[in-house]
Amino acid sequence: MVQERKFLKGPRLRNPADYDFPGLQRALKMEPEEVIQEISESKLLGRGGAGFPTGTKWDMAFKEEGEFKYIICNADEGEPGTFKDRYLLDERTLKVLEGMLIGAYVIDADYGYIYIRGEYFKSIKILQEALEEAREAGILGENILGSDFSFDIKLVRGAGCYVCGDETSLLNSLEGMRGQSRTKPPYPISKGLCGCPTLVNNVESLACVAEILHQGASEFATMGTEDSKGTKLVCLSGDVNYPGVYEVEFGSSTLQEIITDLGGGPRKSHDIKFVIPGGLSTRILTRDKLDYKYSYEGLEEAGSSLGSGGVMVVGSEQDLTAILTRIARFYMDESCGTCFPCREGNQQIYKIISRVGKGKFTVNQLEIIEDLGNAMAEAARCGLGQSAQYPTGTILAEFKEELVEGAVY
Amino acid sequence: MLQQDNDILLEMAHDIQDTYGYIPEREITQLAEKFSEPRAKIYGALEFYSMLYTEPTGKYIVRICDSISCFLHDSDEVLEAVQDYLELESGETSDDKLFTLEVVECLGHCGEGPVMMVNDRMYTELTSGRAIEILSECQ
C-alpha cells in the first residue's frame, strides 16, 4: 500500500511571524559555492517539467556576470492536469519565498519576480499579503535577517497565456511584450530579462531547495532512486475516486499503485484506458504500461516522461475523439503564433480532428496528423509546439483500431 | 523595452483593468507615452493576453474550463447548460452587458472539476443545475 512521504507538504505557512526561515538562515552562513555544492549533491532536478539539474543551473547563474542579475519564480502553472504549484503557493507560501531568497543570495541577484498566472486570484492575494508581511518582518528589503544580503521581490500577474510558462516567453512578457518565445541560445541564464543574467526556477524546485537547505542534502538524497532523488508532488485528476495533490517518494511505487492506493482507482469506468502521466504535453501510457516505478527513469522506460507531475486518468468508457478534439484545441488556442510550424500545424490538426467529430479517421488523415506532429517536433521554436504531438500522436497510435474507418491491424 | 522594477506593463494593465473593467484607449495612449513606444506596440502586447480586454466586457466574466480533466467530469454538459441559459457562445457578451462567457483552458483545479470562475471567484465540482443557480444570483 503506497503512502505519502511528506517532505514538501506540511501545515499552512503564510505568516512570517510564525516561521524562522531555517533554510535561509543556514544558507546565509555559508558561502554561495557551498550552497550550490549542497544543491548539486542533492541531485535535485527542476520540477517544472524539463528536469534540468538545479545545482548545475545555479552554478551557471552564479558564474555569470552582468550589470544586473535577476531571479524569477515561475508560477505560471498552466499545464492541463497540473495544480501542485498552486498547493505550494497557497499552503507553503513561505517555503517558496525561502527557496527564492536562497537562490537570490547564491547568485547575487539584484531583484526578483514571481510571475504567477492571472487566474490564480486566491494565490495572488495570499502572496501579496505574504510579501508585504515579509517586508515588515525584515525578510525582504535591506540586510535580511541581519546579514549583508538585501533583496526584494515583485509579484507580477500573468494574463491568461499558457505559453508564458516557457521561460523565454515569460521574459518577453515581463518586458512588456507579447509572450512569444525567443530563440535559444542565448539562454536566460546568460541573457535573460532585459539582456541580463536571469535564473528562472519553478515553484516546486524552489520549495525543494528550502527543504534541502533546512534538512540537508543527505536527508534529501536518502529518498528516491539513483537518478531521481527526493519526492514529487503528483496531481491526480480525471477518472479517479480521490483526486488531489499527493507527495510521493520517487521509486517507492508504480503509477498503477498511485492511482489505486492514493487515487482509489477509477471512479466512473470499470477500467483505465490510458494515463497522461506528466501534464498534457507527455506521451500517454496505456494500462499495460503502468507498472513502472514512478521516477524520471521509470516513466522514460515506460515510454513517456514525468513532466510536471500531472497524472490524468482516462477511463475505458471515455470518448477518444472528444478528448483528441480538446487536446488539439488547447495547442491551437495556446500557440503564440510566432513560428509557423506550431501556428499552422496545430490549426490543421484541430481542423482534421474536429471534422471527424463522432465519425472515424481515414488512414490518410492519421498520416497527415503524424506528419504535422513530426514537423512541429523538429521545427517549432519552443516546447509547446515540439511536444504538441506527444499526447495526440500516442493516442492515435495506441488506439488505431478504435479510431480508424475499417481498420484491420 | 527596458523597464524599471516597478513599471511592468502587465501589472499596470491589470491595475487599469481593475479600475475600469477594461483598458480604454486613452490609457493605451498614456502607456505608450510612458514607455516611449508606438501605441500599436502596446495595443499589440495587450491584445496577446486573453485576460486583458481593450473593449468593455460584461459585469460578470464567466470562465468555464473544458480542458481534459474537467471534460472527464462532464464539463461539456455544464458548458452546454450555461450556454443555453445565457444564450451566449464563447467570447460573446450579453446585450444587457451583464455576462461575458469564455470557454477557457485549464484553470488549475483539475482535481475538482468541472470548474467555473465568475470574475475572481472559483466554483468547483459543478453540476449544470448548480452552475445556473450561481449565475441566476448574478445581478
Side-chain angles (χ1 to χ4, degrees):
Chain A
M1 189 80 181
V2 184
Q3 287 192 330
E4 281 195 90
R5 171 77 164 89
K6 290 187 178 166
F7 182 73
L8 295 176
K9 273 187 156 186
R12 181 172 286 180
L13 207 54
R14 290 181 187 167
N15 189 347
D18 306 332
Y19 185 57
D20 56 4
F21 295 83
L24 177 64
Q25 299 243 24
R26 188 169 157 243
L28 289 175
K29 292 187 189 109
M30 295 161 73
E31 291 299 319
E33 292 95 328
E34 293 174 314
V35 179
I36 293 169
Q37 179 71 19
E38 182 128 1
I39 302 294
S40 297
E41 277 169 15
S42 76
K43 293 194 180 173
L44 171 65
L45 302 177
R47 299 291 197 243
F52 190 79
T54 307
T56 311
K57 200 173 189 177
W58 282 31
D59 189 43
M60 287 155 65
F62 170 70
K63 287 173 180 152
E64 284 290 338
E65 281 175 24
E67 193 189 344
F68 289 101
K69 264 183 168 180
Y70 297 105
I71 181 168
I72 294 170
C73 169
N74 186 348
D76 194 38
E77 180 173 65
E79 184 72 38
T82 314
F83 43 102
K84 65 184 175 74
D85 292 345
R86 182 169 60 80
Y87 163 79
L88 289 170
L89 295 166
D90 288 3
E91 300 297 324
R92 307 288 284 165
T93 321
L94 299 180
K95 290 283 179 186
V96 180
L97 216 58
E98 187 175 17
M100 206 175 161
L101 279 158
I102 295 168
Y105 165 71
V106 166
I107 69 159
D108 193 21
D110 295 275
Y111 204 75
Y113 294 96
I114 299 174
Y115 188 99
I116 187 168
R117 68 177 301 193
E119 292 93 339
Y120 279 1
F121 286 100
K122 185 179 157 209
S123 315
I124 288 167
K125 203 157 169 273
I126 291 168
L127 273 171
Q128 278 169 340
E129 280 170 20
L131 289 173
E132 200 46 55
E133 284 164 359
R135 266 177 220 116
E136 283 165 21
I139 301 299
L140 287 174
E142 302 288 322
N143 304 104
I144 291 166
L145 294 171
S147 69
D148 296 337
F149 169 55
S150 302
F151 179 71
D152 210 334
I153 295 171
K154 184 176 175 69
L155 183 70
V156 177
R157 291 166 281 175
C161 178
Y162 166 75
V163 79
C164 289
D166 166 77
E167 55 181 10
T168 62
S169 306
L170 190 157
L171 293 171
N172 277 347
S173 179
L174 267 182
E175 286 182 26
M177 294 185 276
R178 295 166 78 90
Q180 294 170 323
S181 62
R182 299 177 180 175
T183 42
K184 292 189 277 193
Y187 290 90
I189 287 282
S190 53
K191 283 192 169 40
L193 191 61
C194 303
C196 298
T198 306
L199 175 64
V200 186
N201 279 130
N202 168 262
V203 169
E204 190 181 352
S205 310
L206 291 169
C208 281
V209 164
E211 290 296 356
I212 290 167
L213 262 293
H214 173 38
Q215 304 185 34
S218 50
E219 173 65 23
F220 185 78
T222 57
M223 296 182 294
T225 66
E226 189 51 36
D227 296 323
S228 314
K229 294 292 182 197
T231 61
K232 179 79 189 81
L233 292 181
V234 176
C235 319
L236 260 185
S237 72
D239 200 355
V240 287
N241 278 300
Y242 309 113
V245 178
Y246 295 98
E247 185 164 14
V248 176
E249 181 181 348
F250 282 119
S252 70
S253 49
T254 63
L255 258 183
Q256 181 72 60
E257 287 168 338
I258 292 172
I259 293 164
T260 312
D261 295 354
L262 298 174
R267 189 178 78 164
K268 290 196 296 188
S269 306
H270 293 303
D271 211 344
I272 295 169
K273 195 177 190 91
F274 65 86
V275 171
I276 308 180
L280 189 61
S281 306
T282 51
R283 295 180 176 89
I284 66 150
L285 294 174
T286 45
R287 65 165 177 257
D288 54 316
K289 291 190 187 131
L290 302 178
D291 289 325
Y292 292 84
K293 289 284 183 202
Y294 189 78
S295 62
Y296 287 95
E297 65 277 15
L299 291 196
E300 233 156 77
E301 209 184 314
S304 186
S305 60
L306 194 111
S308 63
V311 176
M312 287 180 275
V313 181
V314 179
S316 53
E317 277 128 63
Q318 292 290 344
D319 174 3
L320 279 182
T321 325
I323 291 172
L324 284 166
T325 309
R326 280 165 178 80
I327 296 175
R329 188 185 61 200
F330 172 76
Y331 288 109
M332 177 180 73
D333 284 350
E334 297 299 336
S335 172
C336 79
T338 313
C339 69
F340 83 89
C342 176
R343 183 183 65 228
E344 301 300 326
N346 283 314
Q347 280 190 33
Q348 295 308 322
I349 290 176
Y350 177 75
K351 272 186 198 165
I352 294 171
I353 293 176
S354 57
R355 204 178 295 146
V356 169
K358 290 193 188 318
K360 299 265 185 186
F361 287 83
T362 64
V363 174
N364 187 30
Q365 284 174 322
L366 284 201
E367 280 169 2
I368 295 173
I369 293 175
E370 193 183 339
D371 279 353
L372 289 166
N374 288 338
M376 285 196 286
E378 295 287 336
R381 189 191 274 187
C382 79
L384 188 149
Q386 289 161 11
S387 57
Q389 60 151 354
Y390 291 159
T392 312
T394 45
I395 291 173
L396 292 173
E398 296 286 355
F399 298 102
K400 249 184 192 172
E401 289 165 43
E402 203 180 317
L403 291 164
V404 176
E405 184 80 55
V408 187
Y409 286 99
Chain B
M1 204 187 304
L2 192 75
Q3 302 186 1
Q4 296 301 311
D5 288 338
N6 289 313
D7 294 341
I8 301 283
L9 177 65
L10 259 185
E11 270 301 305
M12 297 175 76
H14 271 299
D15 288 342
I16 294 167
Q17 192 163 285
D18 289 345
T19 309
Y20 300 105
Y22 74 110
I23 303 163
E25 203 176 327
R26 61 173 187 279
E27 295 289 336
I28 296 177
T29 307
Q30 286 191 8
L31 288 170
E33 278 169 19
K34 175 161 183 60
F35 290 109
S36 306
E37 293 281 355
R39 273 160 34 104
K41 193 164 177 184
I42 301 289
Y43 183 79
L46 299 178
E47 280 287 296
F48 184 80
Y49 300 93
S50 62
M51 285 180 76
L52 298 179
Y53 304 89
T54 51
E55 299 284 335
T57 64
K59 181 179 171 190
Y60 298 99
I61 299 176
V62 181
R63 298 185 172 96
I64 296 186
C65 172
D66 189 36
S67 200
I68 298 299
S69 291
C70 282
F71 171 67
L72 295 175
H73 289 287
D74 305 320
S75 60
D76 53 332
E77 288 170 16
V78 175
L79 176 61
E80 206 181 310
V82 170
Q83 278 176 329
D84 286 349
Y85 175 74
L86 297 177
E87 295 177 3
L88 293 175
E89 294 292 321
S90 180
E92 290 180 349
T93 298
S94 60
D95 291 338
D96 60 2
K97 302 279 181 219
L98 195 58
F99 291 105
T100 295
L101 178 65
E102 289 183 353
V103 180
V104 296
E105 299 299 346
C106 188
L107 288 169
H109 286 256
C110 318
E112 306 158 274
V115 301
M116 170 173 87
M117 283 180 87
V118 180
N119 290 343
D120 60 356
R121 271 202 74 176
M122 175 71 75
Y123 299 92
T124 58
E125 295 178 14
L126 283 175
T127 59
S128 302
R130 177 75 187 121
I132 288 169
E133 197 183 310
I134 292 161
L135 295 176
S136 68
E137 286 162 11
C138 295
Q139 294 299 323

